[in-house]
Amino acid sequence: YVRVVTGPCRILVVLLLFVCASLWSLASELDFVRTRQNIIFLFVPFIPYYLLGYELRNANVRRKYLFLFLFLLSAAALLTAVPVLEGVESKAVRLHWLFGSFSPFVILMAACVFQFLHAADQGRFAGVIARLSPLALGIYVLHPLFIRLLGQTGFPGSFIRPEAAIIVWILTVFVWSAVTVWAMGRIPYIRGLVTGRK
C-alpha cells in the first residue's frame, strides 16, 4: 500500500477512513447500528491511526511547539464542550463519543502528540521518550483494563468538576498502566510480551 500509492492518495485514504470510523462510532453510540464485540470490529476502525502514524513519521516536521499548542487548543475546546452539553438530552452518550477514540478532537490531539514527541525525539526530551517508548505497547494493551476498573469504583467521584476529572482520569490511567508495564518488564519471561524486547 505505502509503496505503490502516492502521498496525496494515502492522505485521502486516511482521512476517509477516519471519517468512516468516526461516523460508525457515533452511530453505535446512538444505537443506530449494533456491532458484536469481537476482534474484527474492535481492530478495523483503528487502521487509520496506523496509517496516519506512517505519514506523520515521514513528514519530517520539527516545529514541535506548534503541535503542542494545537494539542492544548484542541483539549481546551473539548473540555469547553462538557459544560456546554450539560443539561442536554442524552448528554452521556454525546460526551462519551466526544472523548472516544474516534472523536475529531481526539484524532487531532493524538496526531499532535505523535508529532510533538517525534520532533522532540532529537532534543532535550529524547531521554524521557527513550525510557517511555518500551512501555508504549504494554500501556496500549492494558489501559482499557484500568479504565474499566476505575469506572467500576466511581473514580474520581462527583466532588471534582468534569473538566478536572477528565484530566485526573487520564493521568491516573497512564501512570497506573506505565507502572504496571514497567513492573511486568522486570520479569524475564513476561518482558517480551509487554515491551517487545528480550
Side-chain angles (χ1 to χ4, degrees):
Y1 164 77
V2 296
R3 293 179 180 177
V4 300
V5 179
T6 62
C9 184
R10 292 198 307 266
I11 293 174
L12 178 61
V13 169
V14 171
L15 291 176
L16 289 176
L17 288 176
F18 267 127
V19 170
C20 292
S22 184
L23 292 177
W24 183 268
S25 175
L26 179 59
S28 299
E29 288 292 338
L30 298 177
D31 289 329
F32 291 153
V33 297
R34 295 184 180 274
T35 59
R36 299 182 63 181
Q37 294 297 315
N38 57 51
I39 189 62
I40 301 298
F41 288 111
L42 291 176
F43 172 76
V44 170
F46 286 92
I47 291 177
Y49 272 112
Y50 176 77
L51 299 176
L52 177 64
Y54 176 85
E55 298 300 328
L56 294 178
R57 187 193 61 155
N58 295 327
N60 196 27
V61 178
R62 296 301 177 185
R63 299 179 63 180
K64 56 179 178 289
Y65 292 109
L66 171 62
F67 294 101
L68 179 61
F69 171 76
L70 291 175
F71 170 83
L72 295 175
L73 185 64
S74 181
L78 185 56
L79 292 176
T80 302
V82 175
V84 171
L85 290 177
E86 286 183 349
V88 177
E89 187 177 359
S90 300
K91 65 177 182 179
V93 171
R94 297 177 185 181
L95 285 176
H96 184 273
W97 178 77
L98 277 176
F99 291 95
S101 301
F102 304 108
S103 162
F105 291 104
V106 175
I107 294 171
L108 176 60
M109 292 167 64
C112 289
V113 168
F114 184 98
Q115 277 294 63
F116 174 77
L117 295 177
H118 182 57
D121 188 38
Q122 305 299 325
R124 68 184 66 178
F125 299 102
V128 176
I129 296 174
R131 290 183 177 88
L132 289 177
S133 60
L135 308 178
L137 175 62
I139 292 173
Y140 172 75
V141 172
L142 289 180
H143 83 275
L145 171 64
F146 298 126
I147 289 176
R148 174 164 295 188
L149 290 175
L150 289 176
Q152 292 176 347
T153 63
F155 179 88
S158 59
F159 59 90
I160 300 180
R161 289 186 56 84
E163 302 92 322
I166 294 167
I167 297 175
V168 172
W169 184 287
I170 292 173
L171 292 176
T172 302
V173 170
F174 178 80
V175 172
W176 192 2
S177 301
V179 170
T180 302
V181 174
W182 175 84
M184 293 174 68
R186 311 295 289 181
I187 304 173
Y189 295 103
I190 300 180
R191 182 183 301 117
L193 295 176
V194 297
T195 67
R197 298 182 178 182
K198 295 182 179 180

